[in-house]
Amino acid sequence: MTEIDPVLPKKFSDWFQQKGWRPHPHQLDMVAADGRGAHTLLVAPTGGGKTLAGFLPSLIDLASNPTEGLHTLYISPLKALAVDIQRNLMTPVEEMGLDIRIETRTGDTPANRRQRQKENPPQILLTTPESLGLLISQPESFTLFKSLHRVILDEVHAIAGTKRGDQLALCLARLSKIAPDLRRVGLSATVAWPDDLRRYISPCADADEVVTVTGMGAKRADVRLLETAVRLPWSGHYGLHAIPEIYQEIKKTGTAIIFVNTRAQAELVFQELWRANEDALPIALHHGSLARDQRRKVEAAMADGSLRAVVATSSLDLGIDWASVDLVVQVGPPKGVSRMIQRIGRAGHRLDVPSRALLVPCNRFEVLECRCVIEGVAEGTLDGDPPRDGGLDVLCQHIMSLACAAPFRADDVFAEIRQAAPYQTLTRDAFDAALRFVEDGGYALKSYDRWKRLFLTAAGTYEVANPRLAHRHRMNIGTIVEAVTLKVRLRGGGVLGEIEEYFATGLEPGDTFVFAGRMLRFEGIKQTAVEVSVARGKDPKVPAYMGGRLPFTTLLSDRVRATLADPTSWVELPDQVREWLNLQQWRSLLPGRDGLLVETFPRAGKEYLVAYSFAGRNAHQTLGMLLTKRMERLGLAPLGFVASDYVIAVWGLHAAKDMQALFDEDMLGDDLEAWMEESSLMKRTFRNVAVIAGLIERRQPGQEKTGRQVTFNSDLIYDVLRRHEPDHVLLQATRADAKGGMIDVGRLAEFLARVKSGGIRHRRLDRVSPLAVPILLEIGKEAVYGDAEDQLFDELAEELIEEAMRMDPQGGLPL
């Protein structure tokens, strides 16, 4: 064997030799970079020893210079990942006989062990952002972290740009203040925005302060579409038509992960696989709503290779190393190339063996998206949005945490917070507004004693008003606010069931939807119940379905439009999809790379407008609200709309003709602001902001508030702030969240700018076009919370398809 690189101490060189391994170049580069005192970002594919590379400098340091106290802090976005890392890291430590104590600290760690870790910390502690936030809030934090040499941020790409990432960045700024020589290491398999990620890792938000170490190129991936015996559905989001073929693939492979995009879809796919499981193969289910013990059992079974398949959501996206995984199946498009590469990384943890992955489109439009994903994976193109500015609600929580740890001066904390990349551009006015809120609630709330949490001493320092407040604050640290469901209550009657809050917040009074077999009219949200009345009519105004809620990336949107505009690229598509697109080309037009295609046509006494905008579901929901308001002013009597990631359809009593007026950019001005003020979405968004900022406490000693209590309290406060302090820091945070989340103003603005530059092509048709069939079929669907069916109104589907595909008997072409 060739001599091991001399950068490694003999004990480590001998260990590699005994294993029959050579260290990867990036592992040696990480040791060398650490020797130069550099902060580093390691970008390396899964299966390439990335985790060991991150820990090698710490293991070498502790082996040659044994120390007491906390030396290295590892932070994972997942509890399970921290546990998995501990298990894997103990192998080299034990085999080399290193006297290093490694422990985990998460929400699952027993209280007695947490106390022991504060009094006698291990040299290496593995934790999560939430647990770190709790540690930062304690007076003992200064003693615990003063010996810290390194902090390792695993899967850093997955957390930067989120509220959990904001919390982590603020905690890192505090760690660097306690331990100024602290070295930071970021680990990631996929990096779409390297400069932003290096800025996030840097202790002073300077990308040039972080060295990038690149691992070997990503391993080859064998990714293809799964062919099914059943013809592709025109609509639908569950992919149950492909269960027989998915089961056959499971039978042929060692272990498979079946990724889906929602928890409801995970339950459905798992149930259908069990029905098909005539060989009694061990198949499991894993998602975030399951009990912790059940998830742990599944993870352990995967680790020891005793499962043939697991159906999972994004709960298994990250980092857990299972060498036994041979195949990844993605049911429904992953909504992004980077996400698919991340998921492919779960299979084939050998760099000399290609990872195998199958994509299962659930409908015809998804075939186009899946094909674009395959092309993106082959090219190694990464996508996703760059990190955004830090949330003001997270800032408020962190300020309170700092006060719980020790008194502080405002100037010192402001300077410290500005070292965190998400808050690099934070203004002093915004900081002072956040501090004022933490101190006494702000102008509109300062007369209430319950929100007086800090006081300013004569020495100019801020302190917690009393120890009970610190205790209550620690019980509520974190940025994950669980989604809630709302009861559907019939006026004058009982409860019909529950729907997910995300759907209810998109409704306006007068909207109709199908639920529990009835047509219902939305009257409003009262506390935690959706109040409805029985409605007349055949078509629901706002249909709902529990399809992929992951954001559809701009890169994929561009690729899908490019594919549609270029028939020469259709050669890889299934025959039935090529036929569909050819018929669309003959019957109407195909959407182009730029601009906007709009089709209008009559059907069943109504006028339909279908816009092929490809801006993503959230932007389309907002567009639908704004379009219908504009159409009302124009006298077109709109009745409703439905949106997917690709298309939006609006129907009403009169035909729209002036498309330029409908899609003008000015709809993002007063129309948007007016709709946002009227929408119940803002109250729901404010609820989450209020919980994170500490205005509303979910947990108090001896009790936990119900979702109803939290919502009732936050709604009252929201109304008070709107009337008396409309520029309150939490209202600012609410507007920022709403515009960047469910409303997605950025994507909508990009779309309207594209329309302005590329123009609108309006096609007036005498009937529905082939490309419009999928979106019209969504009008005939319903989603009921907990329902186990992906239902289509079959008669409507057959009628629509026959109408769109009907041939001219003389020419053989569509009429």
Side-chain angles (χ1 to χ4, degrees), residues 11 24 78 144 167 169 286 313 364 392 422 478 505 507 516 589 594 613 622 628 663 687 727 730 750 775:
K11 182 176 287 189
H24 296 303
L78 295 176
L144 176 66
Q167 179 188 28
H286 192 289
T313 59
R364 297 186 175 211
L392 294 175
T505 56
L507 299 174
L589 294 171
D594 302 309
S613 34
T622 304
T628 52
F663 291 93
R687 169 189 174 271
D727 61 344
L730 297 193
E750 290 174 5
I775 193 65

Side-chain angles (χ1 to χ4, degrees), residues 348-567:
H349 280 208
R350 285 177 51 193
L351 294 178
D352 57 340
V353 176
S355 296
R356 289 186 58 231
L358 293 171
L359 282 169
V360 183
C362 300
N363 59 55
R364 297 186 175 211
F365 262 118
E366 288 187 0
V367 172
L368 301 173
E369 187 178 344
C370 287
R371 173 53 56 188
C372 291
V373 168
I374 291 173
E375 293 171 357
V377 170
E379 297 170 6
T381 306
L382 301 178
D383 54 9
D385 296 327
R388 44 147 190 78
D389 289 339
L392 294 175
D393 50 347
V394 183
L395 175 62
C396 292
Q397 182 184 121
H398 184 70
I399 289 172
M400 184 63 183
S401 292
L402 296 184
C404 291
F408 65 75
R409 294 185 180 276
D411 291 347
D412 295 341
V413 168
F414 177 63
E416 176 184 324
I417 285 170
R418 289 263 302 220
Q419 299 300 301
Y423 298 91
Q424 186 179 19
T425 59
L426 180 74
T427 65
R428 184 59 191 246
D429 286 345
F431 170 78
D432 287 341
L435 177 59
R436 175 70 186 275
F437 162 73
V438 179
E439 180 183 6
D440 60 17
Y443 169 77
L445 302 176
K446 66 180 180 180
S447 59
Y448 298 91
D449 288 340
R450 60 181 295 187
W451 288 301
K452 288 182 169 61
R453 294 185 288 172
L454 303 182
F455 71 89
L456 183 61
T457 69
T461 61
Y462 286 88
E463 298 184 7
V464 176
N466 65 68
R468 292 192 309 275
L469 291 171
H471 179 54
R472 284 164 49 182
H473 171 74
R474 293 186 185 108
M475 293 182 64
N476 290 275
I477 285 176
T479 61
I480 300 175
V481 182
E482 293 293 336
V484 298
T485 58
L486 302 178
K487 288 182 171 58
V488 179
R489 190 184 302 279
L490 191 62
R491 279 192 173 177
V495 174
L496 300 179
E498 294 180 331
I499 58 175
E500 289 192 328
E501 187 185 47
Y502 89 95
F503 171 54
T505 56
L507 299 174
E508 292 187 336
D511 286 350
T512 56
F513 63 102
V514 176
F515 182 83
R518 306 188 191 190
M519 180 75 71
L520 303 175
R521 181 185 305 279
F522 175 70
E523 304 293 348
I525 295 177
K526 187 174 182 180
Q527 297 181 17
T528 59
V530 175
E531 291 204 337
V532 298
S533 58
V534 176
R536 295 180 180 179
K538 183 178 179 182
D539 294 334
K541 187 175 180 184
V542 184
Y545 45 86
M546 298 178 70
R549 287 180 234 156
L550 296 170
F552 179 50
T553 66
T554 302
L555 173 70
L556 275 184
S557 171
D558 294 343
R559 281 183 175 273
V560 171
R561 293 200 314 275
T563 297
L564 284 168
D566 180 15

Side-chain angles (χ1 to χ4, degrees), residues 224-246:
R224 57 186 174 87
L225 291 180
L226 179 66
E227 296 182 4
T228 60
V230 177
R231 285 180 65 84
L232 273 164
W234 287 73
S235 186
H237 301 274
Y238 289 138
L240 303 185
H241 70 285
I243 291 297
E245 287 79 11
I246 293 174

